[in-house]
Amino acid sequence: MWFGREHLDAGESASQAHRSWWDEHANEYLEEHGQTLGDADFIWGPEGFSEEEAHILGDLSELVDKRILEFGAGAAQCSRFLALQGCRPVASDISGAMLDAAATLNRVRGLDFPLVQADVLALPFPDASFDAAFTSFGALSFIEDLGAAFSELARVLTPGGRLAYSALHPVRWMFPDSPHLDAMTVHTSYFSREPYVERDDHGELTYVEFPHTLSEHTAALAQAGFLIEQMWEPEWPENRDVVWGGWGPERSKWLPGTLVVRSRKAA
């Protein structure tokens, strides 16, 4: 296995790598993080703040009976929370294995809402299908072209529809993937465009994440017709002892780990 920062070769499919990796590792991921995520909780990032307390999507009472798209849904924990509030979620993910886990959790909870296998770059929904769309942490780092993703989301949102997301904070890419204080030395330029890549012993692409600067986020949203309403850089809670990859109580008190954005499609 090889891993590091390098540009993809011509013809390599990041989407195929994503689908294969998450299908293979879905159960492992949920076993490791399932207790932190819950099965019907809406958590915006490793810092642990919830939609119930943060209201990133706005007043939930205004979303009752509204159609909401979750992309990069994983096991659809967030959509399950929204369904319990009376919303009409549709949970989409590139991984069939993750959606299988979502279907199992829906049966346990006695819930039934659509689970759709789809790439956010090519959503199988008509124009203006949703009143809001969101993804909770992680999905956007797997997308090379934020503009293409935001344009596709704008297509399926109604005029005035809300787009909210949390993603890896752009500063996060400058530092090693470690939660410890001794890993606070910059080892990559903030402006580096090389993705993080993993390959198997045969050189085949198995995993890839793409860094994005703050200006890339804002420019891509603007070009897709979104008006940014608010941005957050949540601090690590004082008594939270969860360790999640490079996030944890040591280093995350010093460095922002998550970027949260709320925007609205121009009417």
Side-chain angles (χ1 to χ4, degrees), residues 69-89:
L69 172 65
E70 180 178 12
F71 61 99
Q77 292 91 341
C78 301
S79 285
R80 208 163 291 112
F81 169 84
L82 292 175
L84 291 170
Q85 312 308 308
C87 305
R88 298 166 55 206

Side-chain angles (χ1 to χ4, degrees), residues 64-77:
V64 171
D65 207 34
K66 299 295 185 182
R67 201 157 188 240
I68 304 175
L69 172 65
E70 180 178 12
F71 61 99
Q77 292 91 341

Side-chain angles (χ1 to χ4, degrees), residues 53-66:
E53 62 186 344
H55 305 295
I56 306 299
L57 285 176
D59 185 346
L60 284 177
S61 67
E62 297 178 359
L63 294 176
V64 171
D65 207 34
K66 299 295 185 182

Side-chain angles (χ1 to χ4, degrees), residues 5 7 15 35 53 63 71 77 89 100-101 109 111 113 141 143 146 156 161 164 169 175 190 193 221 236 239 245 260:
R5 301 286 291 266
H7 289 293
S15 293
Q35 186 172 358
E53 62 186 344
L63 294 176
F71 61 99
Q77 292 91 341
D100 287 344
R109 281 283 182 156
L111 294 172
F113 54 81
S141 67
I143 297 170
L146 289 181
V156 301
H169 195 286
F175 298 90
Y190 176 79
R193 311 305 335 124
L221 285 166
W236 193 263
N239 298 315
V260 186

Side-chain angles (χ1 to χ4, degrees), residues 5 7 173 188-195 211-213 216:
R5 301 286 291 266
H7 289 293
W173 288 98
T188 302
S189 167
Y190 176 79
F191 303 102
S192 173
R193 311 305 335 124
E194 288 187 320
H212 301 291
T213 63
E216 282 184 86

Side-chain angles (χ1 to χ4, degrees), residues 8-22:
L8 300 185
D9 295 334
E12 288 189 308
S13 171
S15 293
Q16 181 57 50
H18 301 330
R19 184 178 295 107
S20 298
W21 194 93
W22 285 105

